[in-house]
Amino acid sequence: MNYSLEAGGKRIRPALVLTAAHAINGSADAWKSAMRIACAVEYIHTYSLIHDDLPAMDNDDYRRGKLTNHKVFGEAMAILAGDALLTHAFRLIPQAVREDGVPLDAGLAIVEDLATYAGAAGMVGGQAADMQGEQGITTIEQLEYIHLHKTSDLIVFSVKAGARIGGASVKQLELLSLYARNIGLAFQIQDDILDVIGDEKKLGKRTNSDVAQQKVTYPFLVGMEESIAMVSRLTQEAKDAVTEAGLASPEQLLRIADYLVQRDH
Amino acid sequence: MNYSLEAGGKRIRPALVLTAAHAINGSADAWKSAMRIACAVEYIHTYSLIHDDLPAMDNDDYRRGKLTNHKVFGEAMAILAGDALLTHAFRLIPQAVREDGVPLDAGLAIVEDLATYAGAAGMVGGQAADMQGEQGITTIEQLEYIHLHKTSDLIVFSVKAGARIGGASVKQLELLSLYARNIGLAFQIQDDILDVIGDEKKLGKRTNSDVAQQKVTYPFLVGMEESIAMVSRLTQEAKDAVTEAGLASPEQLLRIADYLVQRDH
């Protein structure tokens, strides 16, 4: 469990939990009561990577420059480490209520959101569709379904959870969900774009690997020009939603939207 | 997910959730508000069976007379079905608060209990110890550790969850935890005993399979006579704890303790 948690990564999801709590609440230490929930979402993300890397799934030997979990500990332990990380994420939520001042009703709403966005109708559903659809994806709708669930859902959870802890209104939760959905999708399309036009040194991996693996991507389906336009449209809509939400401190959320699409690795 | 949920089994864990709620509360429809939590524990149990049966784990082709999940749907889908069942169990708890009248604080305590008893310090920990310990188990303490976590922990969760819904006191929760711990352990020892002296027709599987697979069991470690004495001692202690708890309707809990050890399959 620790090996994979400590393997690094961008930590986008926990950063979004903390940032959303701060954006709603405005006070400098609003992130403190959101820290345990930020960890919970990283636990979920980490479990999903461990299971995705298994031989029966994507069969990857390396992740973030380190051997994947099952290459070090064996398949049985990797499956169990994933199961335990997934389970432990839910343990952190009642602890956040007891220890960090997260309100009881927000805690239970966060449990339900996490189970919804991470489960069969969310992230796991997206992964299952991806597994079943390999080679068979022919429409932009199918590809969008996979990315909305496989990637965006956990990002939506992160932003909503932080917003709930910060005390968001129903309207603010809706607008921030739209923000999160859009940056999640833009993030994924940008990944596809970088695989074609990125700098191998900055990416730390070979470009054109999607083409080599015959993966269906946005540039493949709609062309490079339209893919770049989509990223910019989705990002603008995301930022508009944040502005409309009338938050106490919207700056960091706006900056993250720009960072995700302006990154070159 | 449905294939494995509908494969049958004794449904001991959900029965214990409903029975504990009734035992504490005493009213004839006390089980109604516990039904969703009873389903949650069966989801957890079912996910654990799907993952345990995988080739990397116990590599079983049959379970309850049907092909195992991965033999029908492939390994990738079996891993994901397990992940989704585990996640969905947690989704049922906030729903039980919203729809079934489970109090908010009991709901959050049940989330924490489930994550604790099913996670790294509970069921998954027991399974990991079992995997790592194969062939290397030499003491009764090691064997007990595995069974307490692999089997008893989810039974303790079931009884505690039902008791919380029924409105149990702290003292009653403690006594019922002892009851559940003991019947879980007795259940496991009885399984070992039946593997040696049971009737193959009633069991629906070959006897002496543990010996053939060189599994370390209670009869192997302490002998048949002492194993039988342990079952009877654990069962009596379990029943004493129920009696001491001063429940409104203890009869069914007492009957389940007897059923588990008097069963011949």
Side-chain angles (χ1 to χ4, degrees):
Chain A
M1 292 165 73
N2 280 332
Y3 175 82
S4 292
L5 280 175
E6 290 166 1
K10 288 189 268 302
R11 314 285 199 209
I12 290 291
R13 293 160 191 79
L16 282 167
V17 177
L18 303 179
T19 307
H22 172 70
I24 296 282
N25 182 290
S27 82
D29 59 357
W31 61 270
K32 284 185 187 167
S33 56
M35 185 51 100
R36 231 178 277 253
I37 308 298
C39 293
V41 76
E42 190 69 8
Y43 277 42
I44 294 284
H45 179 56
T46 302
Y47 116 74
S48 77
L49 299 182
I50 295 174
H51 281 191
D52 282 5
D53 288 337
L54 286 167
M57 309 273 276
D58 293 346
N59 194 22
D60 281 314
D61 292 351
Y62 288 92
R63 161 79 65 184
R64 297 168 176 165
K66 289 174 69 174
L67 284 170
T68 46
N69 197 293
H70 66 272
K71 297 299 284 184
V72 178
F73 301 100
E75 276 184 62
M77 285 301 136
I79 294 167
L80 291 170
D83 292 345
L85 284 166
L86 164 49
T87 308
H88 199 75
F90 285 97
R91 197 175 177 196
L92 293 171
I93 305 171
Q95 287 176 353
V97 171
R98 215 176 44 236
E99 309 282 340
D100 308 336
V102 171
L104 195 55
D105 56 346
L108 214 67
I110 290 170
V111 169
E112 186 160 9
D113 278 352
L114 184 55
T116 303
Y117 287 111
M123 186 184 71
V124 173
Q127 176 66 10
D130 195 14
M131 282 282 141
Q132 293 185 310
E134 295 211 329
Q135 319 304 331
I137 300 164
T138 53
T139 69
I140 191 83
E141 286 76 20
Q142 290 170 314
L143 191 61
E144 193 173 284
Y145 177 91
I146 289 169
H147 291 313
L148 278 180
H149 292 296
K150 206 176 147 170
T151 306
S152 282
D153 274 350
L154 208 53
I155 290 177
V156 174
F157 166 77
S158 304
V159 173
K160 275 180 84 172
R164 283 188 194 280
I165 295 167
S169 68
V170 172
K171 183 73 189 163
Q172 287 175 324
L173 283 177
E174 261 175 43
L175 286 164
L176 290 184
S177 297
L178 177 62
Y179 161 85
R181 173 200 177 279
N182 277 17
I183 64 169
L185 200 52
F187 179 84
Q188 191 60 54
I189 300 173
Q190 184 69 7
D191 250 11
D192 287 357
I193 292 170
L194 287 174
D195 187 74
V196 182
I197 61 169
D199 180 327
E200 291 194 355
K201 282 207 196 93
K202 286 182 184 158
L203 286 169
K205 62 179 183 184
R206 299 191 75 85
T207 53
N208 288 308
S209 67
D210 290 342
V211 177
Q213 292 173 48
Q214 296 189 286
K215 272 179 70 175
V216 175
T217 65
Y218 281 90
F220 174 85
L221 270 183
V222 300
M224 183 56 75
E225 202 176 329
E226 172 59 12
S227 297
I228 292 169
M230 280 177 79
V231 167
S232 141
R233 210 158 53 225
L234 287 164
T235 307
Q236 192 53 53
E237 277 177 29
K239 291 163 72 176
D240 290 349
V242 165
T243 306
E244 198 189 329
L247 307 181
S249 303
E251 305 78 16
Q252 295 284 1
L253 287 178
L254 296 172
R255 223 171 288 165
I256 288 176
D258 284 327
Y259 159 73
L260 288 180
V261 297
Q262 283 161 9
R263 73 198 159 94
D264 52 13
H265 67 284
Chain B
M1 292 165 73
N2 280 332
Y3 174 82
S4 292
L5 280 175
E6 290 167 1
K10 288 190 269 300
R11 313 286 198 208
I12 290 290
R13 292 160 193 80
L16 281 167
V17 177
L18 304 179
T19 305
H22 172 68
I24 296 282
N25 182 291
S27 82
D29 59 357
W31 61 270
K32 284 184 188 168
S33 56
M35 185 52 102
R36 232 178 276 253
I37 309 298
C39 293
V41 75
E42 190 68 9
Y43 277 42
I44 294 284
H45 179 56
T46 302
Y47 116 73
S48 77
L49 299 181
I50 294 174
H51 281 191
D52 282 3
D53 287 338
L54 287 167
M57 309 272 277
D58 292 346
N59 195 22
D60 280 315
D61 292 352
Y62 289 91
R63 162 78 65 184
R64 295 167 177 167
K66 290 174 69 175
L67 284 169
T68 46
N69 197 293
H70 66 272
K71 296 299 284 184
V72 178
F73 301 101
E75 277 183 62
M77 285 300 135
I79 293 167
L80 292 170
D83 292 345
L85 284 166
L86 163 49
T87 308
H88 198 76
F90 285 97
R91 197 175 178 197
L92 293 171
I93 304 172
Q95 288 177 352
V97 171
R98 216 174 45 234
E99 308 283 339
D100 308 336
V102 171
L104 194 54
D105 56 346
L108 214 67
I110 290 170
V111 169
E112 187 161 9
D113 278 352
L114 184 54
T116 303
Y117 288 110
M123 186 184 72
V124 174
Q127 176 66 10
D130 195 14
M131 283 281 140
Q132 294 186 310
E134 295 209 332
Q135 317 306 331
I137 301 165
T138 52
T139 68
I140 191 82
E141 286 77 20
Q142 289 170 314
L143 191 61
E144 193 173 283
Y145 178 90
I146 290 168
H147 291 314
L148 278 180
H149 292 296
K150 205 175 150 172
T151 307
S152 281
D153 275 351
L154 207 53
I155 290 177
V156 173
F157 166 77
S158 304
V159 172
K160 276 180 84 171
R164 283 188 194 279
I165 296 167
S169 68
V170 172
K171 183 72 188 161
Q172 286 174 324
L173 283 177
E174 260 174 43
L175 286 164
L176 289 184
S177 296
L178 176 62
Y179 161 84
R181 172 200 178 279
N182 277 17
I183 65 171
L185 200 52
F187 178 83
Q188 192 59 54
I189 300 172
Q190 184 68 8
D191 251 12
D192 288 356
I193 293 169
L194 286 174
D195 187 73
V196 182
I197 62 170
D199 180 327
E200 291 194 355
K201 283 207 195 92
K202 285 182 184 157
L203 286 169
K205 62 179 182 184
R206 300 190 75 84
T207 53
N208 288 307
S209 68
D210 290 342
V211 177
Q213 293 175 46
Q214 297 188 283
K215 271 178 71 175
V216 176
T217 65
Y218 281 89
F220 174 84
L221 271 183
V222 299
M224 183 57 76
E225 203 176 327
E226 172 58 14
S227 297
I228 293 170
M230 280 178 78
V231 167
S232 139
R233 210 158 52 224
L234 288 164
T235 307
Q236 192 54 52
E237 277 177 28
K239 290 163 73 177
D240 290 349
V242 165
T243 305
E244 198 189 329
L247 308 179
S249 303
E251 304 78 17
Q252 296 282 0
L253 287 179
L254 296 172
R255 223 171 287 164
I256 288 175
D258 284 328
Y259 159 73
L260 288 180
V261 297
Q262 283 161 9
R263 72 198 160 93
D264 52 13
H265 66 283

